[in-house]
């Protein structure tokens, strides 16, 4: 991680001391004498500490168990109050911290936006905020990018709640929630690790022109034909056979071979198309980087063409798997999807013999970073369990005042076992299969004890492979990969939440891609916790950031509970490869009466 600065410890100590004073005030007050109207007045007009103590009481009254915020939570509220970011670990109560911070800010200084990571979490927060704050004069608005927002009513404190997609596409449609103070959950992923580009695109993913289709198909046929004839290989594009990840670049030797085959120098456009074809052929792997999905309503899965049975080109589409979160980047309800720009998506479509579509044309795009720039945001605050690792970026590039470490309320009881290093045997079992086999046998052995297990797979395709191995061992389990979200459509998030709610019960085994590694709360019953809690297995250490690993580990032993974790690694894991990813844009297709002025989105760059 990065050093947040020499005064970090002193700053944290000041916030901790102030939190103690506020909780002392709350404990000393006879709140039975304060009516809801009096409490509302204190929140809106009291001095900083009086208002904060009153907010603690508002939450206590609204909480079903009448819990008082812990000192760590109050400390985090104060960090947010001052426009900072709290490095707050999983299970430490961020939900109520966001609520308290947003309520205090909106009560005394104008409207606030709260950005969550998922629709289901935004919906839950919307309901919770209304339940706790509604009695005290707060207006809570669920963000919707397709509708304009009314201005806050007559000085009433107003909080807008939504997701990054809600904010991004609202900006592009001109439907911007009227709040220039923003709280962002998992702020490091949103602004540093991902910094997604949102594009509003005319049309509905139209087929490419005849000219473009010919260019793409010719490049695919050239690369695959030359490979089969032994005239081109992965070496000619800077790759080793079987290499995981890494860039794909035409080498000087490869260019010379192409000149020999063509009898001339390829044009710049031909070179680009050939590189994209090679990238789709060798670097980007089905079910790891993308899935090919059959839309039944568009026709049968297979058709016969020239006597051959092939995928129906008009009934299939390619959907990208986000390599950080493993979400499939498609939302059936809002017609939102992601696409690789610059010809890579077209090359993948040619590889699978499905309809080649235009790269998105758009007159409107915005990045997550731009949404929260000084031009659009007066204040930015947020929380994450791994924000300290990007403290400098958040402060220097996004205007965050400081990053403060919020201690755990109880010491962590997490136990991390020594990594299991799997080595395959040539001609018998690959390194990767040896690793997954070790995971499967570990799950089977532990299931005899009855404690729940969560297997987090660093590659989406590992979910299916591990699931089949568990089936062979007779282990009952639930498996969730990228296609789960396509199968369940607009109900996927709700279905996944049900799975998480049950995953901490005795004997349960959940095998999941990285969707299970961040922003997930698996409740564990007291008797299960007493027996050691949830055990997490992770299929390798992250190639992107140590932050990914920390988040995965912290799915267990939350809030001072018990839990354990173990990594399973192999010599050819992505961590040991030079991985380069293409630029991904999140695109919402639309139809307008007046066509948008078209321009090409930026080409994907392979550094």
């Amino acid at each position: 991680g990065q050093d947040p600065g020499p005064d970090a410890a002193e700053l944290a100590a000041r916030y901790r001391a102030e939190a103690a004073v506020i909780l002392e005030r709350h404990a000393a007050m006879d709140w039975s004498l304060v009516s809801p109207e009096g409490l509302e007045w204190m929140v809106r007009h009291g001095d900083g500490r009086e208002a904060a103590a009153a907010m603690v009481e508002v939450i206590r009254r609204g909480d079903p168990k009448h819990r008082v915020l812990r000192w760590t939570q109050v400390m985090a509220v104060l960090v947010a109050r001052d426009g900072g970011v709290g490095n707050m670990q999983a299970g430490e109560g961020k939900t109520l911290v966001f609520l308290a911070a947003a309520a205090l800010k909106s009560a005394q200084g104008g409207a606030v936006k709260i950005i969550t990571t998922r629709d289901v979490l935004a919906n839950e927060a919307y309901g919770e905020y209304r339940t706790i704050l509604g009695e005290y004069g707060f207006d809570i608005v669920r963000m919707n990018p397709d509708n304009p927002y009314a201005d806050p009513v007559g000085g009433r404190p107003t909080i807008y709640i939504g997701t990054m997609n809600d904010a991004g596409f609202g900006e592009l449609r001109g439907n911007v929630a009227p709040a220039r103070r923003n709280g962002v959950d998992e702020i490091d992923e949103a602004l540093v690790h991902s910094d997604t580009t949102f594009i509003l695109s005319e049309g509905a993913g139209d087929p490419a022109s005849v000219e473009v289709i010919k260019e793409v198909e010719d490049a695919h046929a050239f690369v695959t034909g030359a490979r089969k004839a032994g005239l081109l290989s992965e070496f000619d594009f800077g790759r080793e056979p079987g290499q995981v990840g890494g860039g794909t670049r035409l080498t000087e030797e490869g260019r010379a071979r192409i000149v020999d085959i063509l009898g001339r120098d390829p044009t710049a456009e031909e070179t680009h198309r050939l590189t994209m074809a090679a990238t789709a052929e060798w670097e980007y792997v089905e079910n790891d980087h993308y899935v090919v999905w059959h839309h039944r309503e568009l026709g049968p899965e297979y058709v016969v063409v020239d006597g051959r049975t092939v995928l129906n080109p008009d009934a299939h589409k390619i959907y990208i798997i986000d390599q950080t979160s493993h979400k499939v980047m498609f939302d059936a309800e809002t017609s939102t999807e992601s696409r690789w720009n610059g010809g890579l998506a077209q090359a993948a479509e040619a590889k699978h013999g499905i309809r080649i579509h235009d790269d998105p044309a758009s007159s409107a795009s915005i990045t997550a970073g731009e949404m929260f720039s000084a031009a659009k945001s007066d204040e930015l605050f947020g929380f994450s369990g791994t924000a300290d690792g990007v403290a400098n970026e958040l402060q220097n590039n996004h205007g965050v005042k400081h990053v403060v470490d919020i201690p755990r309320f109880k010491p962590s009881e997490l136990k991390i076992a020594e990594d299991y290093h799997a080595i395959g045997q040539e001609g018998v079992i690959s390194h990767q299969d040896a690793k997954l086999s070790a995971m499967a046998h570990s799950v089977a052995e532990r299931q005899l004890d009855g404690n729940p297990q969560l297997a987090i797979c660093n590659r989406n395709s590992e979910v299916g492979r591990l699931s089949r191995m568990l089936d062979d061992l007779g282990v009952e389990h639930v498996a969730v990969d990228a296609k789960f979200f396509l199968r369940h459509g607009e109900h996927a998030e709700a279905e996944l939440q049900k799975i998480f709610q049950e995953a901490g019960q005795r004997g349960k085994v959940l095998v999941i891609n990285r969707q299970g590694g961040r922003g997930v709360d698996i409740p564990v019953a007291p008797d299960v916790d007493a027996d050691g809690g949830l055990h997490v297995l992770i299929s390798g250490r992250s190639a992107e950031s140590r932050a990914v690993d920390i988040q995965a580990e912290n799915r267990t032993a939350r809030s001072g509970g018990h839990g354990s974790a173990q990594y399973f690694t192999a010599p050819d894991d992505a961590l040991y490869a030079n991985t380069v990813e293409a630029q991904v844009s999140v695109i919402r297709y639309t139809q307008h009466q007046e066509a948008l002025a078209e321009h090409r989105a930026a080409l994907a760059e392979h550094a």
Side-chain angles (χ1 to χ4, degrees):
Q2 299 172 6
D3 181 2
D7 299 324
E10 180 183 346
L11 185 63
R14 289 208 308 268
Y15 280 123
R16 179 170 183 164
E18 187 176 359
V21 171
I22 290 167
L23 287 175
E24 287 171 3
R25 281 196 174 192
H26 179 269
M29 184 79 174
D30 184 354
W31 293 103
S32 65
L33 302 176
V34 181
S35 66
E37 293 77 15
L39 203 54
E40 178 183 344
W41 189 95
M42 293 174 69
V43 169
R44 298 186 66 173
H45 303 291
D47 64 28
R49 291 176 177 176
E50 181 182 50
M55 181 51 57
V56 172
E57 177 61 17
V58 166
I59 292 174
R60 188 196 69 80
R61 293 186 185 186
D63 181 75
K65 296 182 179 179
H66 301 295
R67 290 171 294 188
V68 175
L69 291 182
R70 303 187 290 262
W71 69 263
T72 51
Q73 291 174 295
V74 177
M75 178 181 172
V77 172
L78 299 176
V79 171
R81 175 199 65 187
D82 294 343
V85 166
N87 192 74
M88 194 172 188
Q89 299 302 318
E92 292 296 307
K94 283 189 297 181
T95 300
L96 290 179
V97 170
F98 266 118
L99 184 151
L104 288 171
K105 286 175 178 291
S106 62
Q108 298 194 348
V112 175
K113 283 200 292 280
I114 297 296
I115 304 298
T116 68
T117 56
R118 294 175 173 164
D119 278 315
V120 67
L121 297 179
N123 292 337
E124 289 176 355
Y126 172 69
E128 187 169 24
Y129 282 40
R130 292 186 69 188
T131 298
I132 293 176
L133 300 176
E135 184 180 359
Y136 302 99
F138 287 81
D139 288 332
I140 313 300
V141 180
R142 179 65 171 89
M143 293 169 64
N144 184 339
D146 298 323
N147 296 322
Y149 298 94
D151 289 331
V153 177
R156 285 172 63 88
T158 304
I159 302 172
Y160 299 88
I161 300 175
T163 65
M164 197 66 77
N165 275 5
D166 294 330
F169 290 113
E171 288 274 354
L172 297 177
R173 287 191 179 277
N175 297 327
V176 181
R180 290 179 59 89
R181 293 185 296 166
N182 301 278
V184 181
D185 193 14
E186 303 295 355
I187 191 169
D188 56 334
E189 180 179 357
L191 299 183
V192 179
H193 299 311
S194 295
D195 192 18
T196 304
T197 297
F198 300 90
I199 295 176
L200 194 63
S201 181
E202 180 65 15
D206 295 326
S209 67
V210 172
E211 293 78 13
V212 168
I213 290 174
K214 186 176 187 308
E215 291 173 2
V216 174
E217 290 182 341
D218 285 352
H220 170 71
F222 184 95
V223 169
T224 55
R227 176 180 57 79
K228 290 176 182 177
L231 301 176
L232 280 178
S233 71
E234 291 182 71
F235 292 114
D236 296 309
F237 289 89
R239 301 181 58 79
E240 297 283 341
Q243 178 179 328
V244 177
T248 301
R249 308 171 187 84
L250 184 62
T251 65
E252 289 302 317
E253 294 81 3
R255 177 177 291 277
R257 290 179 184 274
I258 291 173
V259 170
D260 287 341
I261 297 170
L262 291 176
R264 60 174 175 82
D265 284 331
T267 66
E269 180 65 21
E270 287 173 332
T271 299
H272 176 70
R273 291 292 184 189
L274 291 172
T275 302
M276 290 297 98
T279 301
E281 185 70 18
W282 290 307
E283 182 179 346
Y284 283 78
V285 179
E286 183 180 4
N287 293 327
D288 276 336
H289 297 92
Y290 65 93
V291 294
V292 179
W293 186 250
H294 173 221
H295 289 273
R296 293 181 178 85
E297 69 277 11
L298 298 180
E301 187 170 4
Y302 296 97
V303 293
V304 178
V305 178
D306 297 330
R308 295 182 302 114
T309 300
V310 297
L311 289 180
N312 184 348
D314 295 311
H316 289 81
K317 286 193 72 174
I318 285 176
Y319 295 111
I320 295 173
I321 299 170
D322 183 285
Q323 293 302 288
T324 299
S325 68
H326 279 180
K327 295 177 184 177
V328 62
M329 300 181 75
F330 172 67
D331 186 332
E333 187 176 8
T334 62
S335 298
T336 303
E337 68 176 71
S338 294
R339 184 173 174 84
W340 292 308
N341 288 337
L344 178 56
Q346 294 169 332
E349 288 165 340
K351 174 183 177 180
H352 291 281
I354 63 180
R355 184 68 60 204
I356 296 171
H357 294 82
D358 264 335
D359 274 351
S362 167
S363 64
S365 67
I366 191 169
T367 67
E370 290 169 344
M371 281 194 292
F372 301 106
S373 66
K376 295 180 177 292
S377 174
D378 292 335
E379 183 182 67
L380 183 62
F381 62 95
F383 299 96
S384 171
T386 47
D388 57 347
V390 293
N392 290 343
E393 287 96 330
L394 290 172
Q395 292 173 255
N396 298 334
N397 301 335
H398 299 286
V400 168
K401 290 184 179 178
H402 42 243
V403 175
V404 179
D405 188 58
I406 310 297
R408 293 180 183 272
F409 183 65
K410 296 179 180 178
S412 175
E413 297 291 340
L414 175 64
K415 297 178 180 177
I416 301 180
E418 184 178 346
D419 289 10
Y420 182 99
H421 301 289
I423 303 293
Q425 184 177 350
E426 188 172 355
V428 178
I429 186 172
S430 70
H431 296 315
Q432 291 297 316
D433 282 341
K435 176 178 73 175
L436 294 178
S437 178
M439 290 182 69
H441 282 87
S442 177
V443 170
E445 291 170 8
R446 281 180 170 272
Q447 196 177 40
L448 298 175
D449 297 331
N451 271 30
Q453 299 179 75
L454 171 67
I456 300 172
C457 296
N458 269 318
R459 296 173 67 180
N460 180 72
S461 63
E462 292 174 335
V463 174
R465 292 160 63 195
L466 179 56
S467 178
R468 288 188 290 274
M469 291 178 181
L470 290 173
D471 284 338
D472 291 342
L473 293 172
V475 176
E476 185 175 345
H477 64 283
V478 174
V480 177
D481 62 5
K483 288 186 177 180
F484 171 92
F485 302 94
L486 293 169
R487 284 194 297 271
H488 291 275
E490 61 189 76
H491 304 294
E493 289 282 0
E495 291 296 323
L496 185 59
Q497 285 302 114
K498 291 180 184 177
I499 290 172
F500 289 144
Q501 287 298 310
E502 297 175 357
Q505 298 174 9
R506 284 198 178 276
K508 291 288 186 178
V509 174
L510 172 58
V511 180
I512 189 169
N513 60 17
R514 280 189 182 173
Q515 280 275 77
R518 187 172 193 138
V520 169
D521 188 2
I522 295 177
V524 175
D527 62 319
V528 174
D529 180 73
D531 286 344
L534 176 70
H535 179 63
V536 176
L537 305 89
I538 308 166
S539 72
R541 292 185 175 270
S542 169
E544 294 81 15
S545 169
R546 170 62 183 145
V548 175
D549 294 339
I550 293 171
Q551 291 284 354
E553 294 166 7
N554 283 313
R555 294 314 97 200
T556 187
R558 298 164 69 86
S559 302
H562 297 90
S564 56
Q566 184 175 23
Y567 291 89
F568 291 75
T569 68
D572 52 356
D573 282 349
L575 176 62
Y576 311 115
N578 176 27
T579 302
V580 179
E581 301 294 346
Q583 175 185 332
V584 178
S585 298
V586 180
I587 303 159
R588 177 164 296 178
Y589 292 113
T590 185
Q591 295 283 358
H592 288 308
Q593 293 179 349
E594 296 182 3
L596 296 171
E598 295 186 350
H599 75 269
R600 282 201 172 276
L603 294 180
E605 295 181 359
H606 290 264

